[in-house]
Amino acid sequence: FVPDITTADLPHFDRTRVRHYRTFITVPIMLGGIPVGLLTINAPKPGDLVESDVDTMFAIADLIAAALRQLDGEFPPKGS
């Protein structure tokens, strides 16, 4: 969770790039303890996202992982 990109210490963050957000949350999508993707949400103003939103993001990432498990980790599913 980064409350404000303008004040956070973010190594390797390109501050010259124009962004239309100032806050974001990124959580891993895990399958069997292995990260298979990232789920990110961002918002234009600091305060639009708060620390308690992190738990929601992890819950959504877990739901995505459950859906991927149903596909045996294969996307798109066979026969699509």
Side-chain angles (χ1 to χ4, degrees):
F1 170 53
V2 177
D4 188 345
I5 63 172
T6 63
T7 59
D9 180 22
L10 301 169
H12 312 292
F13 190 79
D14 182 1
R15 295 190 183 278
T16 63
R17 186 174 143 212
V18 175
R19 291 179 172 80
H20 300 286
Y21 63 90
R22 295 238 336 248
T23 180
F24 70 91
I25 299 169
T26 298
V27 297
I29 299 169
M30 306 289 286
L31 279 178
I34 299 168
V36 296
L38 296 171
L39 179 64
T40 299
I41 187 170
N42 56 50
K45 297 182 309 235
D48 286 347
L49 299 172
V50 294
E51 187 73 36
S52 62
D53 293 325
V54 174
D55 291 336
T56 302
M57 291 291 289
F58 273 108
I60 294 168
D62 287 345
L63 290 171
I64 293 169
L68 290 173
R69 276 192 296 280
Q70 292 297 312
L71 299 171
D72 291 325
E74 184 174 316
F75 188 81
K78 290 179 183 174
S80 298

